[in-house]
């Protein structure tokens, strides 16, 4: 939260943060416990808008299907008996480069394919909008009843990160807390 919160007088956007889950070791032998920590970190990444990549999810079937393999994981049977080994071999490093490369290419192509605001060539449509509205452009058809007032549309989300994810944070109060935090940090956005 500290890194992604803007600082007064800081003229550049926050950094691109990525979490890479590359753990396929046996430091912790229980599979469920290993997967729970991975899922929690993935959940937090999604909540706070931080990229999350999982090498472990890509190769888990291969590794668990043959725990004696050591292209994608550590060699747990290097001396014959099952032993603790947490550092994987070259195959893991090569595979991780491909997984991260794919993620970054996907991120880049998605961002670059978003429509641009004609008045502000460096901005993406929607950043300057106060609310979400249907806009029949870029091949989208016009509405059949353009004067019909649709209710319940979402407002623009507050600036900054969502409130701190605690056990007490509820759906009932999240919008109010996020709006209040955004307003108290408004001086940082200038």
């Amino acid at each position: 939260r500290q890194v992604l919160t803007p600082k007064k007088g800081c003229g550049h956007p926050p950094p691109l943060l990525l979490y890479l889950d590359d753990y396929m070791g046996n430091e912790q032998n229980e599979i469920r416990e290993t997967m729970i920590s991975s899922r929690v970190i993935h959940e937090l990444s999604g909540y706070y808008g931080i990229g999350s990549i999982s090498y472990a999810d890509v190769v888990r079937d291969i590794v668990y299907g043959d725990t004696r393999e050591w292209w994608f994981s550590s060699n747990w049977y290097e001396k014959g008996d099952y032993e603790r080994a947490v550092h994987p071999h070259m195959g893991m490093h090569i595979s991780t480069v491909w997984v991260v490369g794919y993620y970054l290419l996907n991120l880049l192509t998605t961002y670059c394919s978003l429509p641009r605001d004609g008045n502000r060539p460096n901005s993406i449509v929607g950043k300057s909008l106060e609310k979400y509205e249907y806009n029949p452009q870029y091949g989208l058809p016009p509405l059949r009843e353009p004067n019909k007032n649709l209710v319940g549309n979402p407002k623009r989300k507050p600036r900054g990160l969502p409130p701190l994810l605690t056990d007490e944070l509820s759906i009932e109060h999240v919008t109010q807390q996020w709006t209040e935090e955004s307003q108290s940090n408004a001086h940082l956005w200038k």
Side-chain angles (χ1 to χ4, degrees):
R1 290 180 53 87
Q2 283 293 90
V3 171
L4 293 176
T5 302
K7 311 297 184 266
K8 187 164 180 81
C10 185
H12 56 81
L16 171 65
L17 292 181
L18 301 174
Y19 170 73
L20 173 63
D21 173 23
D22 63 348
Y23 181 70
M24 282 301 300
N26 64 350
E27 179 74 31
Q28 180 172 310
N29 207 28
E30 293 78 21
I31 292 173
R32 186 168 183 263
E33 294 300 316
T34 300
M35 291 183 71
I36 285 173
S37 75
S38 175
R39 294 291 173 236
V40 167
I41 291 173
H42 181 73
E43 271 184 45
L44 289 171
S45 296
Y47 181 76
Y48 287 115
I50 297 170
S52 177
I53 309 167
S54 180
Y55 163 80
D57 283 349
V58 173
V59 299
R60 187 170 283 115
D61 291 353
I62 297 168
V63 173
Y64 290 170
D66 177 16
T67 57
R68 291 187 179 271
E69 73 78 35
W70 48 273
W71 283 11
F72 301 108
S73 64
S74 302
N75 189 350
W76 299 319
Y77 296 92
E78 193 165 3
K79 296 177 184 149
D81 293 328
Y82 181 78
E83 61 185 33
R84 177 186 171 271
V86 294
H87 191 79
H89 294 278
M90 183 177 63
M92 175 273 185
H93 293 91
I94 293 170
S95 301
T96 300
V97 168
W98 282 103
V99 169
V100 172
Y102 173 81
Y103 177 87
L104 292 174
L105 185 61
N106 190 0
L107 179 75
L108 181 68
T109 56
T110 300
Y111 178 79
C112 290
S113 67
L114 293 172
R116 304 285 172 189
D117 184 341
N119 299 325
R120 295 171 36 187
N122 293 328
S123 71
I124 294 179
V125 171
K127 276 188 173 180
S128 61
L129 299 176
E130 288 303 314
K131 59 182 180 176
Y132 299 102
E133 295 177 330
Y134 182 79
N135 194 354
Q137 60 182 1
Y138 306 108
L140 295 174
L143 294 176
R144 292 183 184 155
E145 297 180 40
N147 297 328
K148 185 175 182 178
N149 186 16
L150 301 175
V151 295
N153 61 312
K155 295 177 180 66
R156 184 175 178 199
K157 69 178 186 176
R159 277 188 98 163
L161 294 173
L164 192 59
L165 190 57
T166 63
D167 290 339
E168 293 77 32
L169 183 64
S170 68
I171 294 174
E172 180 181 0
H173 299 108
V174 68
T175 302
Q176 177 186 350
Q177 289 178 15
W178 195 353
T179 302
E180 288 171 0
E181 189 173 312
S182 179
Q183 289 170 349
S184 71
N185 289 329
H187 67 283
L188 299 173
W189 303 111
K190 296 178 183 177

